[in-house]
Amino acid sequence: MRGDARGQRLVIHLRLAGAAIVALAIFALDVLSPLQGAVAVLYTTVVLLAARTGKRDLVIAAGTVGAGLAAIAYLISHSAEPLGSPAMRLTVSLVANGITTFLSIRHLAEIDQRRSTQARLDQAQAELAHVSRLNLLGQMGASIAHEINQPLSAIVTYAKSGQRWLARAEPDAAEAADCLDHIAANATRAADIIGRIRDIARRAEPRQDHFALAALVSETVALLQRDLQSHDVVIRTAIAPDLPVLWGDRVQIQQVLMNLMLNADQAMTQTPASRRELLLEAARDGGEVTVAVSDRGPGLPNDTEPLFEPFRSTKPDGMGMGLSISRAIIERHAGRLTSANRAEGGASFRFTLPILQGSGA
Ligand SMILES: Nc1ncnc2c1ncn2[C@@H]1O[C@H](COP(=O)(O)OP(=O)(O)OP(=O)(O)O)[C@@H](O)[C@H]1O
Ligand SMILES: [Mg+2]
């Protein structure tokens, strides 16, 4: 940077030296030549040379020096004569010099204006990039907070349960060890989820792996069974026996299933306890697999698109992140997440995942 500035200063000095030499040459020509005054128009070239330095002060100085030298040359050569055509030519030269100086200064001012507009634009762009990074950070934080809530509360539940097994008159080490296994599994899941959310924020490709959908569904049901049972929700599953092995990010697809199941659970808080049923269906449908989570809650408004936007929630303690995260995950897997009301009442959320060639049956 400092080398650049020094280089620029050198160029300015060279240009000034060139302009000074040209000015002196014009002066000598003006005084000595028989052209008598017409040469002074050439001082405009000195002004133009000074303008190339980009400095307003130097342009004014060049204009002033040119006018002064033209006047001195006139006085040397014609002071003894009465006013005539040399004086006329001097006037024309001075006017030309003045106009060139004025136009050069205006041109430099325009360049300055353009530069400062560009600088402001660059600054605005830098600020925008900063804001969008903050935005991304905010969404990432919200997503992590949302998604690890469930494993964290599972960890607390198992920890308390383990403590109770150990506090008995006859402590049960096997049950306590089982609780510790659950704690470890949920902590691992929380760490996996954070990794996946970082992937989404970095716009990295989804981690691709083979996974059996049927096994994923039963594992997710097992994870949520306790919670849902405590709310009197019965889980009914209808999983087709011919489901293929899928290709995608198992952890993320499990998050989608969980978000939809938790929404279904929360939607049925006002439903009479005896009617609370969550239906989980998975079937093969042509070149894709369809998974549907249906409930017996109040159903959905006509336009459900806003529900998929981040931070849209009708729940007092909702973050409004579940559906937006789920849709982003499914779309990253080239699938679709849609919603509909059920004829018998309640809502149904359905996602598809493509069966890729070679994923096997
Ligand atoms: N099964 C459902 N039945 C009725 N309304 C639903 C259902 N699922 C979602 N909604 C509506 O969509 C909104 C957005 O859901 P989303 O899961 O994105 O956020 P949330 O559940 O409110 O909060 P959280 O971020 O904690 O999940 C909900 O507030 C609710 O109004
Ligand atoms: Mg939700």
Side-chain angles (χ1 to χ4, degrees):
M1 288 296 272
R2 206 187 283 170
D4 274 4
R6 216 177 295 152
Q8 267 178 3
R9 235 177 294 140
L10 184 67
V11 170
I12 289 178
H13 286 152
L14 286 176
R15 284 190 174 144
L16 272 184
I21 291 169
V22 172
L24 287 176
I26 295 169
F27 181 70
L29 197 65
D30 199 9
V31 174
L32 304 174
S33 84
L35 292 168
Q36 298 194 338
V39 175
V41 176
L42 293 178
Y43 285 118
T44 52
T45 54
V46 178
V47 174
L48 293 176
L49 282 173
R52 295 200 59 198
T53 62
K55 307 267 182 214
R56 182 175 178 273
D57 294 350
L58 294 180
V59 174
I60 294 173
T64 314
V65 168
L69 289 178
I72 293 170
Y74 173 81
L75 289 176
I76 291 172
S77 308
H78 308 287
S79 60
E81 300 167 16
L83 288 180
S85 60
M88 200 57 205
R89 281 196 290 271
L90 172 67
T91 312
V92 170
S93 302
L94 292 179
V95 169
N97 200 45
I99 292 174
T100 311
T101 307
F102 172 73
L103 290 179
S104 298
I105 290 171
R106 221 174 63 173
H107 180 60
L108 289 183
E110 276 170 14
I111 291 178
D112 270 358
Q113 170 90 29
R114 228 175 296 151
R115 268 200 205 124
S116 71
T117 308
Q118 184 62 43
R120 276 203 302 275
L121 206 70
D122 287 349
Q123 196 188 351
Q125 262 169 358
E127 276 166 14
L128 202 71
H130 184 63
V131 167
S132 62
R133 266 201 302 276
L134 283 182
N135 220 337
L136 184 69
L137 212 66
Q139 287 217 5
M140 220 173 104
S143 303
I144 291 176
H146 180 269
E147 299 294 276
I148 64 167
N149 220 2
Q150 195 277 330
L152 280 184
S153 52
I155 288 172
V156 172
T157 308
Y158 282 112
K160 283 183 179 161
S161 166
Q163 278 171 339
R164 278 196 301 273
W165 284 114
L166 292 175
R168 286 180 159 206
E170 280 181 33
D172 193 327
E175 288 290 355
D178 185 50
C179 289
L180 285 178
D181 282 347
H182 280 293
I183 289 172
N186 277 290
T188 309
R189 204 153 57 77
D192 281 350
I193 291 167
I194 292 175
R196 295 326 199 273
I197 290 169
R198 277 172 47 187
D199 282 357
I200 295 180
R202 286 190 296 124
R203 292 183 164 67
E205 286 293 307
R207 300 183 200 190
Q208 301 280 334
D209 228 332
H210 281 111
F211 67 90
L213 185 61
L216 183 71
V217 170
S218 12
E219 191 186 295
T220 316
V221 168
L223 279 169
L224 293 182
Q225 189 96 51
R226 233 174 137 137
D227 269 3
L228 269 60
Q229 241 166 22
S230 70
H231 303 148
D232 298 316
V233 174
V234 176
I235 303 178
R236 195 154 65 85
T237 55
I239 313 295
D242 64 340
L243 285 184
V245 169
L246 290 180
W247 186 243
D249 189 328
R250 191 177 195 279
V251 173
Q252 289 192 348
I253 302 301
Q254 182 167 55
Q255 283 312 113
V256 175
L257 253 181
M258 275 202 174
N259 286 338
L260 298 181
M261 288 174 71
L262 288 175
N263 275 352
D265 171 38
Q266 289 156 4
M268 290 190 280
T269 44
Q270 303 298 328
T271 307
S274 60
R275 276 185 39 79
R276 291 180 196 163
E277 182 192 86
L278 187 158
L279 174 62
L280 233 174
E281 297 162 289
R284 191 178 182 143
D285 185 5
E288 52 190 28
V289 163
T290 302
V291 180
V293 179
S294 311
D295 59 60
R296 289 181 174 169
L300 300 163
N302 280 340
D303 180 12
T304 55
E305 277 313 295
L307 304 180
F308 289 91
E309 285 168 18
F311 307 115
R312 290 293 187 114
S313 178
T314 54
K315 302 169 192 170
D317 54 352
M319 290 182 69
M321 290 302 294
L323 288 180
S324 109
I325 296 172
S326 302
R327 184 171 262 183
I329 290 175
I330 293 300
E331 286 178 355
R332 273 158 60 87
H333 284 78
R336 295 178 312 280
L337 169 60
T338 52
S339 58
N341 277 319
R342 306 169 79 188
E344 62 269 47
S348 181
F349 284 80
R350 184 174 296 267
F351 66 86
T352 63
L353 288 173
I355 301 171
L356 297 184
Q357 271 193 347
S359 62

